[in-house]
Amino acid sequence: MANNPLRNIPSVNELLENPSLKNLVDKVSHHVVVSEVRTFLDTLRTDLQQKASELNVPTVGELADRIATWIVTDQKPTLQPVINATGILLHTGLGRSPLADEAIEEIEKVSRGYASVEVDLDSGQRSQRILAVEKLLRELTGAEAALVVNNNAGATLLALAALAKGKEVIVSRGQLVEIGGSYRLPEVMEVSGAILREVGTTNKTRIGDYENAIGEETGALLKVHPSNYVVTGFTSEASLPELVALGRQHDLPVIDDIGSGALVDFQQFGLAGEPIATESLAQGADVVLFSGDKLLGGPQCGIIVGKKELITKITKHPLTRALRVDKMTLASLAATLRLYRDPEVAGEAIPLLRLLGTSAENLKNRAERLAPRIAEMPAIATAEIVADHAYLGGGSVPSQQLPTWCIALTPNERSVDELAGELRTADRAIFGRIQQDRLLLDLRAVFPQEDMIILETLQSLPGKPALPNEGEATEAPASLSEETPA
Ligand SMILES: *Cc1c(COP(=O)(O)O)cnc(C)c1O
């Protein structure tokens, strides 16, 4: 009992008298600092009780310094800008597509104060928020009507619930997609209340398979673009025109989930086979679904375009209200769509299209300029340029490969994983990809103005990384080191 470490824990006031925490009170706020100190001491107390008396309590000064460091780290937002040197352009973990300046300006304009989200400025009457983008979507896709919801998963859920609840929806077994783990078509279908009717096989589905499955219970025909895989070899799928003809014959709507949402032909970037919304509608699809933050290069949203009668039916479904988008999404989507009115303007102004349109030669030149400078830096042993392939999305297919150039780094005095960690946690986070014991910085998705930040960040790394808790006299409880106690 004599050396009960709990007794040695300083009081909140004692700690606040210390210079490191005193300074923080001025910089952050009294309220935040006091509450963080309390949380920290609570955790320390629990640790000491659990881990018994072998732990020593650090001095008041040490403790104050550690708490101050922890508060500063804790103040840093979890959501931060990142330099994407992974070579994956639509990286879901890194927020998919960057927005155009025009989109960001519109968000700012309508978000600072109030905005005409659901009022008609001429009449002063209540109106619908979709009008912010509907005309543009109709013009750019040729659709009769449009609706925008939170994302394409929401669009799929809503379209199925509104058009086929309690009915069978016929899908090819080759198209039962999973996108990024949490999205699986069969599960979304189940939640919507529609009944999945699989037809054909993984590699071959004929129009006759759909035809044989049609009956009293059928509510719709669904076609899904396999965005992240290809079935090759002995394969076939029913074409959209075939499905449309069959749908017409039986008075069934054809829903086409094209996924990536290209509004222009991506063949120009060497990307084959990406369906275009306009073409799908032109071939007769009744409802077309796609994401706003994939190939469209806009904000996260799900876009539904198609026949007026069906869009009206979908719009009236209660889920529409649950999945509705806010003014920021509408403003940035409208601004992005306006850029597409002139494809040349879109190619310049939409960051994703600009990244895709950059020549490999250009990337090579940049890599050649950066590599020798990086090779001189204390944290880096070697830096060489290598040609490689970049990809559209995480689970991308071979037809979505893009030529690219990377700077391959071997570190000094640390492992490749450690170097990658230092770059991720730098003031400006940088994500590369590790390949054969080297850290590759792929320039395909790096904006030219970020080259300088990469140089500065690498330059700031010491030749030898500081060991955590080096020279620490007292053993710290787990909560005192890396982990935040909350
Ligand atoms: C990406 C994708 C989805 C899911 O879209 P989110 O916008 O991520 O919700 C659904 N279907 C297909 C075919 C896709 O490619």
Side-chain angles (χ1 to χ4, degrees), residues 333-359:
L333 179 60
T336 307
L337 292 172
R338 267 195 293 278
L339 296 169
Y340 275 102
R341 298 183 77 185
D342 182 340
E344 229 168 87
V345 171
E348 283 298 314
I350 294 175
L352 180 75
L353 303 188
R354 214 162 54 225
L355 293 173
L356 284 169
T358 306
S359 70

Side-chain angles (χ1 to χ4, degrees), residues 96 151-154 156 177 179 183 224-227 257-260 291-294 300-302:
R96 291 197 186 157
N151 54 22
N152 193 26
T156 311
V177 303
I179 311 278
Y183 178 96
V224 184
H225 175 59
S227 304
D257 174 9
I258 63 168
S260 40
S291 301
D293 56 349
K294 290 187 183 167
Q300 179 192 300
C301 60

Side-chain angles (χ1 to χ4, degrees), residues 39-333:
T39 313
F40 202 97
L41 292 183
D42 284 347
T43 316
L44 180 58
R45 249 175 240 121
T46 319
D47 276 1
L48 287 172
Q49 274 162 351
Q50 282 167 358
K51 289 173 196 161
S53 51
E54 79 231 35
L55 293 173
N56 290 317
V57 177
T59 66
V60 180
E62 276 173 352
L63 203 52
D65 287 350
R66 287 190 196 175
I67 299 177
T69 310
W70 174 61
I71 293 176
V72 170
T73 320
D74 208 37
Q75 285 288 112
K76 226 170 142 184
T78 303
L79 185 54
Q80 282 187 51
V82 163
I83 293 178
N84 179 4
T86 63
I88 297 168
L89 283 118
L90 296 172
H91 196 301
T92 302
L94 301 182
R96 291 197 186 157
S97 60
L99 293 177
D101 290 341
E102 288 79 355
I104 293 159
E105 280 156 26
E106 279 309 297
I107 294 176
E108 159 132 41
K109 272 194 224 159
V110 303
S111 306
R112 221 168 253 296
Y114 300 94
S116 59
V117 179
E118 284 186 0
V119 288
D120 177 60
L121 293 174
D122 287 328
S123 67
Q125 300 294 306
R126 187 76 186 252
S127 75
Q128 290 172 318
R129 63 181 62 207
I130 186 61
L131 295 179
V133 292
E134 193 184 31
K135 189 156 164 273
L136 281 161
L137 282 170
R138 282 197 281 123
E139 177 190 323
L140 292 169
T141 65
E144 290 174 11
L147 178 65
V148 177
V149 292
N150 184 56
N151 54 22
N152 193 26
T156 311
L157 175 69
L158 175 60
L160 292 171
L163 303 179
K165 186 177 178 196
K167 298 250 179 182
E168 285 183 359
V169 174
I170 307 177
V171 193
S172 159
R173 288 200 168 91
Q175 297 176 0
L176 297 174
V177 303
E178 169 174 314
I179 311 278
S182 55
Y183 178 96
R184 307 177 105 188
L185 181 65
E187 291 169 5
V188 173
M189 178 92 69
E190 195 176 329
V191 174
S192 77
I195 300 152
L196 175 63
R197 178 71 192 263
E198 304 172 28
V199 295
T201 61
T202 309
N203 59 324
K204 277 204 177 234
T205 305
R206 298 173 187 82
I207 192 66
D209 296 323
Y210 290 84
E211 195 160 14
N212 291 338
I214 291 176
E216 283 295 294
E217 296 302 307
T218 312
L221 308 179
L222 175 63
K223 184 171 168 52
V224 184
H225 175 59
S227 304
N228 52 7
Y229 64 95
V230 267
V231 184
T232 56
F234 188 57
T235 67
S236 67
E237 285 285 358
S239 71
L240 182 60
E242 283 176 318
L243 284 172
V244 167
L246 185 66
R248 296 273 151 80
Q249 209 181 320
H250 295 269
D251 202 20
L252 291 168
V254 174
I255 305 170
D256 191 12
D257 174 9
I258 63 168
S260 40
L263 288 183
V264 294
D265 193 346
F266 277 71
Q267 201 87 50
Q268 61 184 303
F269 306 118
L271 298 169
E274 285 301 331
I276 309 173
T278 320
E279 263 177 28
S280 172
L281 289 162
Q283 289 178 357
D286 297 295
V287 174
V288 177
L289 315 171
F290 53 98
S291 301
D293 56 349
K294 290 187 183 167
L295 292 184
L296 185 74
Q300 179 192 300
C301 60
I303 299 170
I304 309 176
V305 291
K307 298 268 153 64
K308 174 131 189 111
E309 183 202 337
L310 296 173
I311 300 293
T312 304
K313 195 170 172 189
I314 295 171
T315 303
K316 285 183 180 154
H317 192 280
L319 267 179
T320 300
R321 173 65 178 78
L323 297 170
R324 84 176 178 194
V325 289
D326 73 339
K327 60 187 173 185
M328 292 189 282
T329 303
L330 287 169
S332 60
L333 179 60

